[in-house]
């Protein structure tokens, strides 16, 4: 009895102080989307299209199945703003190995990145899908991979 009233008092106090209860403070767990890169050493992702609701919390987990060393055939995953010219983006990225192939001057177009991975490495990124519906391209920015087809699209729709 005493414990119950103590708990009730604490809950009331928390509410009075504007402290959110645990249930509302806990953010929703992100939805996990697994992508495999470089299966059978092909320069592509095994997922060319994915969908998300506007503002949805998403976790992309990228695994590199390619056998070649990172500096020879690394793979990353870069999600960019709607309307980005990905060929121009990839061309600019190719010269920026020191930045993990993220073009410094086009950083503002980047929504989410899983950094460059070597063989059998896994990386992840958690982000909020854009709130504006539309098609958001993603690509691998390792030199030449995008032009060979290592790209896809995130479709944001209600
Ligand atoms: Cu790649």
């Amino acid at each position: 009895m005493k414990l119950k009233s103590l708990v009730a008092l604490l809950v009331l106090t928390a509410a009075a102080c504007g402290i959110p209860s645990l249930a509302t403070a806990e953010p929703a767990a992100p939805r996990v989307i697994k992508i495999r890169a470089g299966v059978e050493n092909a320069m592509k992702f095994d997922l060319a299209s994915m969908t998300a609701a506007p503002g949805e919390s998403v976790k992309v987990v990228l695994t590199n199945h390619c056998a070649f060393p990172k500096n020879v055939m690394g793979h990353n995953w870069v999600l960019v703003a709607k309307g980005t010219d990905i060929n121009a983006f990839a061309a600019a990225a190719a010269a920026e190995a020191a930045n993990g192939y993220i073009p410094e001057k086009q950083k503002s177009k980047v929504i989410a990145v899983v950094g460059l991975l070597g063989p059998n490495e896994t990386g992840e990124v958690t982000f909020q899908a854009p709130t504006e519906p539309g098609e958001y391209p993603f690509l691998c920015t390792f030199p030449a991979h995008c032009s060979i087809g290592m790209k896809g699209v995130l479709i944001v729709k209600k």
Side-chain angles (χ1 to χ4, degrees), residues 74-75 140 142 145 150:
H75 297 297
C140 172
F142 194 91
H145 289 193
M150 201 160 186

Side-chain angles (χ1 to χ4, degrees), residues 27-39:
R31 184 163 55 87
V32 176
I33 298 175
K34 291 182 178 172
I35 306 175
R36 300 190 302 164
V39 174

